[in-house]
Amino acid sequence: MQTAPGNDPKVISIDRMRFRAVNCRKCGAKMFPTSLLKPHLTRHRRREHWLKLELSKLRQTVTRMRDFKQYG
């Protein structure tokens, strides 16, 4: 599987056949077929949600530790 030489980088050429590919705007990954972009973006959103939850837990823990140290 190669990109067509000197042509559009969003086109994949296999055995003289050309297929459209799409790039993810967040990470730059090239998706073929284009239908894979939607699940890929869903994974990005899930990861962002997970990260927000983890940061929230960490903030709460640090706040509790700070409060305990002040009043303990």
Side-chain angles (χ1 to χ4, degrees):
M1 182 166 53
Q2 303 172 16
T3 59
N7 294 335
D8 184 10
K10 294 182 179 179
V11 175
I12 297 174
S13 179
I14 301 173
D15 298 327
R16 296 185 206 142
M17 294 182 71
R18 298 176 73 184
F19 302 98
R20 291 288 300 165
V22 65
N23 286 353
C24 174
R25 290 186 181 179
K26 285 193 171 248
C27 66
K30 189 183 289 187
M31 304 287 140
F32 174 79
T34 56
S35 62
L36 291 178
L37 182 63
K38 187 175 179 181
H40 179 79
L41 292 175
T42 302
R43 267 184 248 119
H44 277 300
R45 280 191 293 274
R46 257 191 266 138
R47 254 184 232 126
E48 286 174 6
H49 181 69
W50 173 83
L51 182 60
K52 285 179 185 177
L53 288 174
E54 291 298 314
L55 286 173
S56 174
K57 290 177 192 176
L58 183 61
R59 261 189 231 112
Q60 289 173 358
T61 302
V62 169
T63 301
R64 273 190 244 122
M65 290 172 64
R66 192 178 309 134
D67 290 344
F68 181 74
K69 192 173 185 181
Q70 286 178 353
Y71 301 112

